[in-house]
Amino acid sequence: MHPLRYRANARLTRLLACAVTGASVLLFGGCATASAAASPASPAAPTTTTTTAGALGFDATTQVVAQSGGTAYFLVYRTGGSTGAVTVNWATGGGTATAGTDYTSASGVISWADGDSAAKTISVPILDKTPSSDKETFHIDLTSPTGDATLGTYPEAVVSIKNSFTAPSTITSFNFTPWKLTLPINEYRTADATYTAWSISPSVINNKFADAYFYASGSTVVFYSPANGATTTPGSGSDHTRSELRELYTGSGADSNSDWSSSIGGTLTGSCTINSVAPNTDEATFAQIHGQTYVFVLLDWRVSTGNVELAVYSSNASGATKTNYVVKSGVTLGTALTYSLAYSGSTVTAVVNGSTKSVTVDSSWTGTPVYFKAGAYHSAPNTGNGATDATQVTYTALGISH
């Protein structure tokens, strides 16, 4: 037989033999299985199934909430596609926490319409009880996606319930009815600089709300504000975190924003101690009078001088400058401060540990809507700080009169 014809017949024989076994033909003879054909130095990329309907999952795997913290909130995202209507089931369970005692058992179905990729919220009430341990947990699980959707990277979230925080509303000497609270996290308890700070209503505060940023310690209320965190107007206004109360005035002459004016007049009184100040700031603000748009008056302690100062802004306008007036000098960190901050007519008066300073304000402030604030606020940027950098102020008394 001609040599070329022999080689062609031999190769055909090998092709038929390899086809029977499902193997491939090597260049110089013999068969190779799929595993043998792949080079150990360059493994084949894993095959993944993609769908335009998207993947459904949480953005985080854990959240810590106080036993009296009200409600645990989680966001569920649809990523990677939004074609078609999809659903996913969710339910609480598992862990060491007891449904009906530590939290309210809950379940449901989350739906997205065709083209809808908006995040959806799951909320689970946390039940107040006598602490039995410092931390208990339960799960929120996503299951059974429909509409060709898949489960995302985080189909399960774990909620950790801490019993070590006491609700400030249990201190009978404090009245939180005229206040709402701002914390340096969002309602999903994320301390990210891109998120809007969490605003908590008086009814929630009075329903034994407590958190790592606002809690009772003995007879004092602790306001804790880490330097990194969520702010009231991320990217467009304040870039400083706060754990702070905002007055809601409901008396005669109140406007639609629950504010008052100098024609009504008001006095804020308090007793507090500045425990720590974030390193990237020179001030800890513990009381304010704020305009609806612009900062008006700050009462703060200066790290560099040890002075308690009354800072008054020059006008009710953008770009206004401020003047700092010393109210009390020689104050060391940890000193107990008893103060009053009053505004009536065209005069602001601050009294701190018996020392008084009065200032006549610019006419642009006279008669404009304002409100009181109290807690822990500073001027450190809300990014790039150390993990433990924080400003903390503790209050033993707080009151308002109009």
Side-chain angles (χ1 to χ4, degrees), residues 65-85:
V65 59
Q67 181 71 67
S68 55
T71 302
Y73 298 96
F74 271 90
L75 284 175
V76 182
Y77 288 87
R78 182 184 191 182
T79 59
S82 60
T83 301

Side-chain angles (χ1 to χ4, degrees), residues 51 57 72 83 91 93 103 126-127 139 201 227 232 235-236 242 258 262 264 309 315 321 338 350 360 373 389 392 397:
T51 170
T83 301
Y103 69 97
I126 307 300
L127 302 178
H139 301 172
S201 68
T232 53
S236 62
R242 70 190 74 211
S258 300
S262 59
I264 298 171
E309 297 180 350
S315 64
T321 58
T338 297
T360 300
K373 304 185 81 174
D389 291 358
Q392 178 176 297

Side-chain angles (χ1 to χ4, degrees), residues 366-394:
T366 305
T368 62
V370 294
Y371 52 88
F372 286 123
K373 304 185 81 174
Y377 176 61
H378 53 77
S379 60
N382 65 324
T383 59
N385 303 281
T388 60
D389 291 358
T391 295
Q392 178 176 297
V393 178
T394 54

Side-chain angles (χ1 to χ4, degrees), residues 162-177:
K162 286 185 69 66
N163 292 317
S164 56
F165 297 121
T166 302
S169 61
T170 60
I171 305 176
T172 57
S173 58
F174 283 84
N175 176 22
F176 294 104
T177 301

